Every structure is written in structure tokens, then in C-alpha cells.
Amino acid sequence: MGIKVAKFGGTSLADANQIRKVQSIILADKERRYIVPSAPGKRYSSDRKITDLLYLCHAHVQQNVPFNDIFNIIADRYLEIVRDLDLSLALVPYLDEIKQKIIEEASADFTASRGEFLIGIILAEMLGYDIVDPCEIIFFDDSGKLDEKRTEEETEKHLSLYEKAIIPGFYGRIHDCKIKTFPRSGSDITGAIVARGVHADVYENWTDVSGLLMADPNIVDNPKPIDTITYRELREIAYMGAHVLHDEAIFPVREAGIPVKIKNTNMPGDPGTLIVKDADPITHTGTITGIAGRKDFTIIVIEKALMNTEIGYGRRLLSVLEVNGISFEHMPSGIDTISLVISDSWLCYKLEKVLQEIKSDCKPDSIEVYPNMALIATVGRGMAYTPGIAAKLFTALGNNNVNVRMIDQGSSEINIIVGVETDDFETAVRAIYNAFVK
Ligand code: ASP
């Protein structure tokens, strides 16, 4: 029998109704043997996530402000879930113990981790699965970084003792007895660690959307879902602003070559998106996988006659950025020009100083500055080695009166990045989408 690790996000566990859906998903496939839950999330848009409420309790204790009311909201939500699911689980002693520990000034990490802990107990009771304490398998080193080696060894050793188990997401152990959490949304990371530890065939990430979309739905109407994407493509579109799984979350499964399936708890029949390792063969050419983009860039264009013959010119130019503590995103160049594409968050108030220093250190013939730029990445392994892709993209932009200020194509040919005026951003994304997808 194969092994699937299924991680369920907060909206999938927000109330008893959602949890019943989770139950039927798990029971529908015997291979779903290791389950990683997040804490209950929002039931409706103005609702509060349990994790946020727990952090709030902790903040109140720190300020010596009573936190009873907030804790009661948390307790009521869990008790309601137990009641609505008809479970004969005595949750009150757990809640009392947690409350007492918060009063005794437990850490923020401990307090926040109880959201996942409590839902773990409920799921274990409902499904008849064992519950495994993440502190037995996930370890952080003294500097607070995940101790990958120890975690991998202990996860493998410990979970092999269980046929089926619930492993609460989001936390592990530091300094041998204290709880430490991952960054927010960290249950994704727990799921990936568990998937690698049990040598899963697939890591299922159940959420409230039917996979990744080819473009931002706020810009393109009803964008198509992405059925398959490689880890590398995913990194490109995530870096360019698409909201997908955190890099860190992908890392353990990417390393082990385990595919990730993103699925929708509310529409389990939808195919979802499969994230696969980069070496898988390309089955289609001439198509794109997705489009993503980010605003708030400045492009500085430096021109100097015979730049190409001047040894050290690029180094001197980049030194100016380095000494000013600025990182650049792209650096397309011509024979006599170099463009520096820099995120405004790096540049902020330093622009004038940087321009002065470039002038004095590099003696350019001219420097032009283009503020308010947006970058758009068109990503797809199906684009590589396919003639006509760039022509199609630029024709689409031209036909929509979008002026392209910068072009950068990664050498792997899975990504073409264009820089456009911020005002043209949405038009450009729609133009590219319509040219390749519609
Ligand atoms: N419950 C945590 C959070 O809200 C972790 C997670 O959901 O993955 O960030």
C-alpha cells in the first residue's frame, strides 16, 4: 500500500461541518495514513483564526491584562466542534491546563502551538488514529534553525512505529524541552517534513482553492488552474508574487523528489495542481504554465560608449549597490548599457546617493531612471526551445499598447520577464494570458 501524507489548512478545519469533509476525504483513501492539521481558521471573512486569538492571549498576559474573554472564545470554538461532531472527548481538562500555562506566562510559541495540538486530539479521537507529538520528531537547533538531520532521522524512526497517525502542524522542540513554532502558515512545513520522513508517495496539501491558478484572479477573469508545475517553475512564480506554498515548505519534499498535490477540501473532486520534480519530461511545448508579477521597481539605465571594452566596469557599478546595502533583481545589459532593476523596498531614500556615486565611480555618458515599474514573469517549461514564444508575447503587449521597458530571459528559457510601467501592469498580464491561454 502506498503512503499519502495529507495536510489540512485552517479553513478545512474551521468548524464541525468542515471537519466532516476532512473525515470523508481521509476515509476515502486508505493510503492517507499520516495527517497534519493546522489550527481552525476563519469560518467567514470577519472571523478570527484560533492562532491569532492564542497570540492575543499571550500578548494580554505580557501586558498584565485579563485574557479570560479571548480564551473563552477559543475554548467555546473547540467545545462546539467536539459537541457537533458527537465525540465523547473530555476536552475541558486540556483547556484548563493550557489556560493555566498561559497564566504562568508560557511562551508565545507554546501558546500558539496549542491551536494545532487541540485539533490534533479531536481528529485522533474522531478517526481512531494515534496522535504523535511533533516534539518527538521535529527539532530546532540552539540558533532556532530547523535541525534537518536530526528531524529527518527522528521522523523516519518514530513514525515507522505508527500505521496511521495525526501529527499536529506548526511546531517542534528546541533546547530539548521547549516548544518552538515555524513561521506563520508553518503547518505546510510540518507536512513536508512528515512526507519526507515516511517516504510518502505524495504530499497532499488540502486547502480552500482548487490548486494554483495561471494568473491572479483579481486581474484575469476566471484564470485556468495549473494542472502540473515543476518545483522550479513554482519558485519563479512564487518569487514574482503568486501566493503559493512557502519555499521552505517545499524544500523537504523537493529534496526527496516527492510530488505535492494541492487540493480543495470543499471540492475534493477537482483535479487540483500537482507539483513535480524538475526532471519529469516535458509533455507539451509552446505553452506557458503561469504568469505572475510584482509592482514597485525602479530601473536605472547606465550608458557608456565602449563599456564592453572597459575591464571592471560592471564590478565598479555593482560595488556602488553593495556599499549602499542594496540588492538588485535583474541586470539586463547591451554593448554599451547596463540596466539595474531594483525593488523600491531596497532603494527607498538611497536613490540620489546611489546616482551620485555611480556618476563619480563609473563616469557614465548618461544615467536614466525609470520609477514606477512593474515586472511580469511568464513562466513555463513548455516555452523552452520553442520558437515563436517571445514573438507571441511581445506582439500581444504591442497590440495592447504596452511599452516594454526591459526584457530578461533566464538562460533556462523557462521564464521571460518584462518590465512595464505600473499603470500598464494589469493590461499587460491580461494581454499575455489571452495570447497564450484563451
Ligand atoms: N496555525 C498557524 C497559522 O495560522 C500555522 C498554520 O496554519 O499553518 O499561521
Side-chain angles (χ1 to χ4, degrees):
M1 183 169 52
I3 300 178
K4 288 181 180 156
V5 169
K7 180 258 166 181
F8 291 89
T11 51
S12 302
L13 298 159
D15 58 21
N17 194 24
Q18 289 300 90
I19 295 174
R20 272 199 209 92
K21 294 180 193 170
V22 167
Q23 180 182 30
S24 43
I25 290 167
I26 296 170
L27 297 181
D29 188 341
K30 286 199 177 60
E31 296 187 349
R32 294 194 177 112
R33 290 167 45 193
Y34 300 95
I35 310 299
V36 176
S38 283
K42 293 183 180 191
R43 294 159 291 183
Y44 40 87
S45 62
S46 58
D47 197 14
R48 308 292 291 266
K49 290 176 163 196
I50 289 288
T51 309
D52 293 336
L53 294 171
L54 286 164
Y55 277 122
L56 210 55
C57 288
H58 179 260
H60 276 61
V61 174
Q62 294 299 94
Q63 308 288 327
N64 272 325
V65 178
F67 70 101
N68 255 335
D69 290 353
I70 309 166
F71 192 82
N72 287 343
I73 299 175
I74 299 171
D76 285 350
R77 268 188 76 179
Y78 282 106
L79 292 171
E80 189 179 299
I81 288 174
V82 170
R83 197 179 51 241
D84 291 353
L85 289 173
D86 271 334
L87 299 176
S88 55
L89 172 67
L91 207 63
V92 173
Y94 289 107
L95 291 165
D96 288 346
E97 193 185 329
I98 292 169
K99 188 171 176 191
Q100 192 51 38
K101 286 206 167 137
I102 298 177
I103 293 170
E104 287 160 10
E105 298 197 28
S107 67
D109 283 14
F110 171 85
T111 308
S113 73
R114 297 305 86 187
E116 273 71 9
F117 169 77
L118 287 168
I119 202 71
I121 291 178
I122 293 174
L123 290 182
E125 171 77 17
M126 179 181 80
L127 296 161
Y129 278 39
D130 288 308
I131 182 156
V132 171
D133 183 353
C135 292
E136 301 292 327
I137 58 172
I138 295 177
F139 298 88
F140 295 89
D141 65 23
D142 289 347
S143 72
K145 259 184 67 205
L146 178 69
D147 183 340
E148 285 181 41
K149 191 163 172 287
R150 187 170 177 202
T151 297
E152 190 173 348
E153 282 167 10
E154 296 295 332
T155 307
E156 189 173 345
K157 204 165 76 197
H158 203 77
L159 290 181
S160 68
L161 305 174
Y162 297 87
E163 182 65 19
K164 294 167 165 188
I166 307 284
I167 306 101
F170 193 37
Y171 67 96
R173 189 198 320 180
I174 188 167
H175 300 141
D176 273 342
C177 59
K178 283 183 71 183
I179 280 184
K180 176 164 169 50
T181 55
F182 286 112
R184 294 301 303 265
S185 303
S187 303
D188 286 336
I189 309 175
T190 310
I193 289 171
V194 170
R196 181 176 59 187
V198 300
H199 306 285
D201 298 287
V202 60
Y203 168 31
E204 293 181 337
N205 196 292
W206 290 85
T207 173
D208 53 6
V209 289
S210 295
L212 308 177
L213 299 173
M214 292 189 75
D216 182 344
N218 297 313
I219 302 176
V220 171
D221 279 342
N222 280 323
K224 287 197 178 148
I226 298 174
D227 53 14
T228 308
I229 187 168
T230 65
Y231 287 117
R232 228 165 83 215
E233 291 172 305
L234 185 76
R235 168 143 169 73
E236 304 271 358
I237 65 163
Y239 164 75
M240 285 302 281
H243 298 290
V244 289
L245 290 178
H246 202 275
D247 260 5
E248 211 182 328
I250 295 291
F251 187 70
V253 277
R254 176 178 184 160
E255 243 190 7
I258 297 169
V260 181
K261 186 104 195 178
I262 300 179
K263 294 275 286 176
N264 188 348
T265 300
N266 302 317
M267 308 274 217
D270 283 0
T273 298
L274 186 66
I275 309 170
V276 294
K277 61 181 191 291
D278 302 326
D280 283 0
I282 296 166
T283 50
H284 54 288
T285 55
T287 55
I288 65 168
T289 303
I291 307 163
R294 275 160 60 192
K295 294 179 178 172
D296 301 322
F297 289 93
T298 294
I299 303 183
I300 304 175
V301 182
I302 297 102
E303 186 166 357
K304 174 138 199 222
L306 301 180
M307 184 192 284
N308 65 320
T309 62
E310 208 174 303
I311 292 172
Y313 197 87
R315 182 185 47 75
R316 285 205 301 283
L317 182 62
L318 295 182
S319 297
V320 174
L321 298 187
E322 190 175 349
V323 296
N324 282 286
I326 292 171
S327 169
F328 68 95
E329 307 287 323
H330 300 277
M331 191 178 61
S333 62
I335 319 170
D336 290 337
T337 59
I338 292 181
S339 300
L340 299 171
V341 183
I342 304 170
S343 162
D344 290 345
S345 59
W346 283 105
L347 214 46
C348 40
Y349 53 90
K350 296 177 185 163
L351 179 63
E352 278 315 312
K353 182 164 181 276
V354 166
L355 295 178
Q356 281 313 326
E357 289 177 20
I358 293 177
K359 278 182 196 153
S360 62
D361 294 3
C362 307
K363 313 264 178 310
D365 296 336
S366 72
I367 303 189
E368 278 174 70
V369 177
Y370 299 97
N372 300 322
M373 301 301 300
L375 299 184
I376 299 169
T378 305
V379 176
R381 63 206 180 285
M383 290 159 48
Y385 317 113
T386 311
I389 291 281
K392 195 163 166 181
L393 192 139
F394 293 111
T395 308
L397 294 176
N399 288 345
N400 285 277
N401 286 325
V402 175
N403 188 15
V404 177
R405 289 270 185 205
M406 183 218 79
I407 303 167
D408 201 3
Q409 179 174 25
S411 38
S412 60
E413 285 192 38
I414 67 160
N415 195 359
I416 298 177
I417 296 175
V418 293
V420 302
E421 302 270 350
T422 298
D423 285 350
D424 287 336
F425 178 68
E426 278 82 11
T427 311
V429 171
R430 277 193 286 270
I432 299 170
Y433 182 86
N434 290 342
F436 284 97
V437 188
K438 279 212 164 155

